[in-house]
Amino acid sequence: MRRRTFLTTLPAGALAAGAAVGAPAAPSQTPAGSGQAGQGAARAYPYTGVGPGDRIMGAPFAGRSTAWGTQGAAATAHPAATLIGIDTLRRGGSAIDAAIAINAALGFLEPTANGIGGDAFCLMWDPAQGKVVGLNGSGSSPRGLSLETARSKAGSDGYLPRYGAVTVNVPGTVHAWWAAHQRYGKLPWRDVLMPVVEMCEQGVPMPQLIAWYLERNMAGFDRSAGIIEDNDNRKRVYAPTGRTPRVGEVFANPDLGRTYRAIAEGGRDAFYDGPLADQMQAYFRRIGGWMTRADLVAHRTEWVEPIMTTYRGVQVYSLGPNTQGLSTNQILNVCERFDLAGMGFQSAASIHVQAEAKRLAFEDRARWFADPSFAATPVEYLNSKAYAAERAALIRPDRVMDRAMPGDAPTQGDTTYFSVADRDGMMVSWIQSNYRGMGSGLVPDGMDGHTLGFMFQDRGELFNLRDGHPNVYAPGKRPFHTIIPGFACKDGQPWMAYGVMGGGMQPQGQAQIIINMVDYGLDPQEAGDAPRWQHEGSSEPTGHPAEGSGVLHLETGVPEETKAQLRAMGWTLGGPNGGFGGYQNVVRQVNAQGPWTYGAATEMRKDGIALAY
């Protein structure tokens, strides 16, 4: 079914839902209803002191209800991506088919957070096997880029730069699509991707938040143009009229449509061992980069065994290193030692324990996490309840720890996230990213004067340059990764495919979702709409040291009494900074009467919607 035909078959309420989005932390958009959609200097909205409207049912801070259905569900960061996922399911596709279509669509619709120049990870419930399975779709550094050369590109601070060819690793996303489709796809490969090709060619109106981020990303590239080897191609794709698209204006990317068409017709090999690979290699030769066709040909997606912990009887699954998934488990393992429910929802005591658990977990993250092919992380020990008990004992109930240190274990941002589930019980938790917003700043040349329409990731920035560190740069090595999907089960059966995007916010956000639902009884939408905390300033796997006890950022909805008590404990508090992540969730509910059902929830801090049918 063509996209426009599908849109006309949906109820009006489903289409209108796409307009219900929250304002960004520091908006540069003119207020809605002003008759303008300019993107000049930031303007204050004239709504000071105005709170949300009143809901007759549910938590007062929830922006909408959970969407329920029996046949399938999807929750994404853009309404059109959710719609194309539901359409794929209705056409008989599996949840993996829908996930691939959604991810391809988001690479066009939300280029500020993801694209085929980046990497992908997945946790999913396989109903045939009756278990959670994991997929690691991260790429390696170029084999022709030495540690010595990487160090020569470091900035004055001694760390790798945030943009440019030295930060580019092999993109893993397309290979991850192919590997997942080969195992779980129902629709023909071409049929999964062609509706997205049409979308890229026809264009889609630009939503509020993505328009804001796109303008900010392009301005950031302009400020750093001196370290980016090519600045023309990105402007041709994302600012074709000399500026980025404004809210409500139709944005198209026919160059990306041509690339998707080649992948739809040629499969994985078109990207990794065919004409697109040739174009990418030629581009890096032109600009003086390092990635080659041989690097692309050598790439493989890895099916991995997830790591699991329990939180008050719920089985919580994560992906191990080179991701930070273990950090979610560690935060929950420490929090389980405390009576958070008794402390009270959004209380100072509860937030204090959660934030201290994060500080402890992130010191282990900085010390140990790396590509397991190059360094052995003591995962079993760090994931254990015994270790969590030792770490929990370090938390003081009345004041902040002076300094958090990594445990003595035995030797051994931006992102898009979405959830989707099908009628057969398959549930997919998928996360994909170019890393720092849009990525490296580099958009490869295409044929006949075109580009390939996507930007390469800058994930290589996360390598460490210090000898002896597990995450030290090496040719053909995968860097430490922040992006992590989440999955949880109850009594060995799937419960929810969930995630919270946003760099180091991800394990903090995932833990808060689990705690909100398990300890405080919130439903999926309420759990995501609840005010969040975010701690910054921990040590990093790149080698950046901790900044004292860091800064604990709190959203506006956290009670003032809670904030005052946290200050008295010694916390340095920060206000809303736009870094609280983006959440999606699809839950499976077993009902006493009738069949199980799906509930879909989405992030009120983003542009997306959740639908179920």
Side-chain angles (χ1 to χ4, degrees):
M1 183 183 296
R2 291 176 61 87
R3 176 182 165 272
R4 288 179 176 171
T5 304
F6 170 58
L7 293 179
T8 62
T9 68
L10 286 172
L15 297 174
V21 297
S28 60
Q29 306 300 332
T30 303
S34 66
Q36 302 179 23
Q39 288 179 260
R43 296 181 51 158
Y45 283 87
Y47 312 136
T48 303
V50 178
D54 296 322
R55 289 175 57 83
I56 196 170
M57 183 65 184
F61 51 79
R64 69 195 92 184
S65 303
T66 300
W68 290 95
T70 59
Q71 300 299 301
T76 86
H78 193 291
T82 301
L83 296 177
I84 208 165
I86 294 292
D87 179 35
T88 303
L89 295 174
R90 283 176 163 169
R91 290 191 289 126
S94 68
I96 281 293
D97 290 327
I100 295 167
I102 288 169
N103 198 180
L106 288 169
F108 160 57
L109 298 164
E110 193 189 21
T112 54
N114 75 122
I116 58 172
D119 291 339
F121 295 85
C122 170
L123 284 170
M124 59 172 291
W125 177 260
D126 181 342
Q129 295 188 68
K131 62 180 290 189
V132 178
V133 299
L135 180 151
N136 182 326
S138 59
S140 302
S141 58
R143 285 162 173 77
L145 175 60
S146 67
L147 174 59
E148 180 182 15
T149 301
R151 282 175 171 159
S152 74
K153 298 294 182 180
S156 58
D157 58 1
Y159 300 103
L160 285 167
R162 61 177 58 190
Y163 303 129
V166 73
T167 68
V168 176
N169 293 337
V170 172
T173 295
V174 173
H175 203 292
W177 293 352
W178 182 264
H181 185 266
Q182 291 294 104
R183 184 177 289 193
Y184 296 109
K186 287 186 175 181
L187 296 178
W189 171 258
R190 189 178 189 278
D191 291 356
V192 173
L193 290 178
M194 285 308 295
V196 186
V197 173
E198 295 178 2
M199 180 185 288
C200 293
E201 295 169 346
Q202 296 168 3
V204 170
M206 182 65 66
Q208 183 185 50
L209 200 70
I210 295 173
W212 184 71
Y213 275 122
L214 185 57
E215 181 190 31
R216 286 171 58 90
N217 271 264
M218 293 298 283
F221 291 136
D222 289 342
R223 289 192 297 270
S224 298
I227 64 171
I228 302 173
E229 291 84 352
D230 166 47
N231 290 283
D232 294 332
N233 283 358
R234 64 174 171 85
K235 295 178 182 179
R236 293 169 58 193
V237 173
Y238 301 112
T241 65
R243 61 166 174 80
T244 57
R246 293 173 177 166
V247 176
E249 292 182 344
V250 173
F251 171 68
N253 189 345
D255 285 358
L256 182 60
R258 278 185 286 271
T259 297
Y260 281 167
R261 186 181 297 274
I263 295 169
E265 294 173 350
R268 169 199 60 194
D269 288 347
F271 191 88
Y272 294 94
D273 194 16
L276 298 177
D278 288 337
Q279 289 298 126
M280 288 183 269
Q281 176 173 262
Y283 176 69
F284 281 106
R285 285 178 176 171
R286 177 173 78 80
I287 67 171
W290 295 272
M291 197 173 72
T292 66
R293 178 170 175 158
D295 291 318
L296 292 160
V297 169
H299 176 74
R300 293 292 182 272
T301 298
E302 186 179 10
W303 290 100
V304 296
E305 191 70 26
I307 56 175
M308 190 271 287
T309 192
T310 58
Y311 183 75
R312 310 199 199 281
V314 172
Q315 298 92 50
V316 180
Y317 290 84
S318 301
L319 293 177
N322 56 320
T323 83
Q324 62 177 338
L326 178 57
S327 296
T328 302
N329 293 28
Q330 289 187 278
I331 294 170
L332 291 171
N333 282 343
V334 170
C335 288
E336 192 178 39
R337 309 289 302 181
F338 297 87
D339 181 14
L340 299 187
M343 293 175 179
F345 179 59
Q346 294 289 318
S347 70
S350 178
I351 293 175
H352 170 72
V353 166
Q354 294 174 57
E356 291 286 57
K358 177 269 179 183
R359 290 180 65 203
L360 291 167
F362 269 47
E363 292 306 313
D364 287 335
R365 167 183 176 263
R367 169 67 181 85
W368 297 107
F369 291 12
D371 185 345
S373 299
F374 286 75
T377 303
V379 172
E380 184 175 355
Y381 182 83
L382 296 175
N383 193 46
S384 70
K385 298 294 187 181
Y387 180 65
E390 295 176 13
R391 303 294 273 170
L394 301 174
I395 297 177
R396 301 167 177 171
D398 57 343
R399 64 188 179 100
V400 178
M401 290 182 290
D402 295 328
R403 186 180 179 189
M405 299 289 289
D408 186 18
T411 301
Q412 312 245 318
D414 287 53
T415 304
T416 200
Y417 172 82
F418 58 87
S419 307
V420 61
D422 65 28
R423 69 187 62 176
D424 297 325
M426 181 180 291
M427 298 175 65
V428 175
S429 177
W430 191 286
I431 196 160
Q432 205 263 301
S433 173
N434 282 5
Y435 182 49
R436 187 180 289 279
M438 294 180 72
S440 64
L442 299 173
V443 172
D445 300 330
M447 297 287 289
D448 302 323
H450 297 289
T451 74
L452 294 187
F454 68 87
M455 187 175 291
F456 288 110
Q457 65 183 340
D458 55 348
R459 186 66 60 175
E461 181 195 348
L462 287 178
F463 277 118
N464 192 306
L465 294 179
R466 180 167 56 85
D467 287 335
H469 192 279
N471 190 44
V472 66
Y473 176 84
K477 182 177 181 178
R478 296 174 296 181
F480 163 77
H481 250 279
T482 56
I483 60 175
I484 49 173
F487 205 96
C489 294
K490 286 184 176 181
D491 301 321
Q493 295 299 308
W495 180 30
M496 62 183 186
Y498 74 106
V500 179
M501 62 196 86
M505 179 63 195
Q506 293 175 65
Q508 303 179 62
Q510 285 189 6
Q512 288 175 69
I513 295 301
I514 292 288
I515 288 166
N516 284 347
M517 296 181 72
V518 174
D519 291 291
Y520 298 117
L522 302 186
D523 76 16
Q525 188 62 50
E526 295 167 346
D529 285 353
R532 293 186 192 141
W533 58 266
Q534 180 203 22
H535 179 266
E536 293 183 330
S538 294
S539 301
E540 295 291 338
T542 56
H544 288 80
E547 302 169 5
S549 60
V551 177
L552 182 61
H553 293 274
L554 301 174
E555 288 197 301
T556 304
V558 175
E560 291 302 317
E561 181 181 0
T562 294
K563 295 175 184 176
Q565 292 174 359
L566 288 168
R567 288 191 190 95
M569 292 177 178
W571 286 103
T572 299
L573 299 186
N577 62 353
F580 295 95
Y583 159 77
Q584 317 290 346
N585 195 353
V586 170
V587 301
R588 178 179 180 269
Q589 177 171 295
V590 178
N591 300 296
Q593 296 181 354
W596 48 262
T597 50
Y598 288 128
T602 192
E603 177 59 81
M604 62 91 167
R605 301 163 186 83
K606 297 285 185 178
D607 290 318
I609 59 172
L611 294 174
Y613 73 102

